[in-house]
Amino acid sequence: DITARIQDALATGTRAAAEEAVEAAVADTGEDADVDVDAIEARLGDREVTFADEFAERMADDIRETVGDGFAAGKNSREIAEDIAERADINEGWNGAEKIARQETQIATGLARSEFAAQIGKVEVWETSGDNRVRDAHEEMAGLWKRPKSEDWEVDYTGEGRGVHKESVPGDSEAGIGCRCFTLLRDREEVDDENHAGV
């Protein structure tokens, strides 16, 4: 039940973030288009929530183990509950809960922007956050473009020892976790052929 509630909360949170992303994209592009919100929600609903699912499964395993260990040690239910609460501390236990939530939100907003770009006939241009925390692989992607939905980015993480990964939105591979990059939506005529990076 706990893991299901977390997954529901992530789904609700990512849906809200996606709605905000579309509103921002409409404002950014100045397009006065009728947005097919149903198509965006369908795309978000169809996607695999890999990071959250793996986290929820790991958390469920940890809960089972904590309960089993507590029972074997002769602890009562209150003591076991305290062990679970300690294990669930976002900064201490279940390493990465906050990171996973940020990652899922990042992916959802990227997919929403991508769906919107497809609806209004724009291409997506990779943009970094522009600070000294941007990883080299993402710095190399800055300014490159792809067609929304029909193409993926191919990101080279070999410098980090992680190989090359396809990403539908910036940072949506395991190697790209923690990404803060985003896309700019541009007319096809505004981008150069040599900067095309869609595969």
Side-chain angles (χ1 to χ4, degrees):
D1 183 53
I2 291 171
T3 57
R5 285 167 45 197
I6 287 173
Q7 288 169 316
D8 287 346
L10 275 170
T12 301
T14 56
R15 197 166 29 254
E19 289 172 5
E20 288 179 21
V22 170
E23 289 173 10
V26 170
D28 290 347
T29 60
E31 292 288 330
D32 190 21
D34 286 331
V35 180
D36 185 353
V37 177
D38 291 338
I40 294 171
E41 287 185 357
R43 184 155 187 212
L44 291 175
D46 289 344
R47 79 183 184 94
E48 293 181 20
V49 197
T50 306
F51 299 102
D53 287 346
E54 288 174 1
F55 170 74
E57 187 58 41
R58 189 171 66 245
M59 190 176 74
D61 290 344
D62 285 350
I63 290 172
R64 283 190 286 275
E65 183 180 327
T66 303
V67 170
D69 290 349
F71 185 74
K75 294 183 177 182
N76 64 34
S77 60
R78 182 175 294 128
E79 292 169 319
I80 293 172
E82 288 171 0
D83 289 346
I84 290 172
E86 183 179 316
R87 187 91 173 105
D89 184 291
I90 283 178
N91 297 315
E92 301 296 329
W94 289 326
N95 185 25
E98 186 177 0
K99 182 168 55 173
I100 296 300
R102 278 197 311 266
Q103 181 73 1
E104 292 296 349
T105 301
Q106 168 81 359
I107 293 169
T109 58
L111 289 175
R113 285 181 67 88
S114 184
E115 179 67 38
F116 176 70
Q119 288 182 22
I120 63 171
K122 302 281 186 180
V123 298
E124 298 176 280
V125 178
W126 188 300
E127 184 65 36
T128 72
S129 58
D131 59 26
N132 62 358
R133 292 173 46 211
V134 176
R135 64 190 87 189
D136 291 341
H138 291 184
E139 192 64 54
E140 291 173 15
M141 297 300 297
L144 301 181
W145 66 273
K146 74 170 186 73
R147 291 173 183 84
K149 291 178 63 172
S150 64
E151 296 181 331
D152 289 325
W153 304 102
E154 193 167 71
V155 187
D156 187 354
Y157 294 98
T158 53
E160 301 172 20
R162 297 181 176 188
V164 176
H165 293 265
K166 287 186 179 179
E167 299 181 357
S168 59
V169 300
D172 79 342
S173 69
E174 189 171 347
I177 196 166
C179 174
R180 297 168 299 124
C181 299
F182 56 95
T183 59
L184 301 173
L185 308 185
R186 298 289 182 253
D187 291 324
R188 171 61 184 93
E189 299 76 31
E190 295 179 53
V191 295
D192 296 328
D193 288 345
E194 65 265 16
N195 291 333
H196 181 247
V199 292

